[in-house]
Amino acid sequence: MKVSDFELAREIAQFMQRLYRQQLTTASGGNISVRRGDEVFITPGGTDKAKIETEEIGILALDGTILKNGFKPTCEAELHLAVYRARADISAIVHAHPVTACAFAASEAEISCSLLCETQAVLGRIGRVPFYPFGTSELAEAAAVCAKEYNAFLLDNHGAVTLGTSLLQAFDRLEVLENAAKITLICEHTLKAPARYIP
């Protein structure tokens, strides 16, 4: 059964609120999109992520054409579209600013995927995109290149991006990424005992 435009927009709004409630992003930061065919449902720019409503979600064509009158897309819309063009198998993207993962994005330290089996199973490896100012075509192009190899990656000095075949999978990967960052911080940088890695 095909999900209606309203139902899909409502799901995106609910997941955006969930990101904020779980302190995975800020009121002004982060964005979510879902691709359905040649259309991309995406969060707007300049809105309170804690109170975002179904009616605020917009629709873009893959070339960036706005398909909903009066809609102002997030400044990272080009990043989402570039990743979708690079990965035909991906249907959802979550970009957020979880604090611990962002600490790694702002440093030379790497998040380990060898401490918890869940991290290995859900994320595999974590990519990294060099710094470009947010909202730029350079950042979008670099993210698209990284997305060809990774389903989760950090944007240097910026935030995190996760991909999925569903919105739930992309959201889950963001949560697992933040948990992996916390575990890495504790095991490799706080505990006195040596970390034990999965063979």
Side-chain angles (χ1 to χ4, degrees), residues 94-184:
V94 174
H95 165 48
H97 306 132
V99 172
T100 318
C102 283
F104 281 86
S107 77
E108 296 295 326
E110 299 291 335
I111 299 173
S112 175
C113 289
S114 300
L115 291 166
L116 294 181
C117 54
E118 180 190 34
T119 308
Q120 282 191 342
V122 175
L123 299 182
R125 297 177 301 137
I126 299 167
R128 196 153 192 148
V129 175
F131 175 77
Y132 294 98
F134 67 85
T136 61
S137 57
E138 291 85 358
L139 177 60
E141 291 167 10
V145 170
C146 190
K148 291 179 181 179
E149 294 187 46
Y150 302 95
N151 290 317
F153 49 90
L154 299 178
L155 308 176
D156 278 358
N157 302 96
H158 183 166
V161 176
T162 52
L163 320 176
T165 57
S166 68
L167 182 48
L168 178 59
Q169 185 180 56
F171 181 86
D172 181 48
R173 283 175 170 159
L174 194 283
E175 284 190 309
V176 172
L177 177 65
E178 175 65 357
N179 284 344
K182 291 177 180 177
I183 294 296
T184 302

Side-chain angles (χ1 to χ4, degrees), residues 62 76 78 83 87 100 138 150 162 195 199:
L62 281 173
E76 298 297 5
E78 192 174 350
V83 170
R87 288 284 300 273
T100 318
E138 291 85 358
Y150 302 95
T162 52

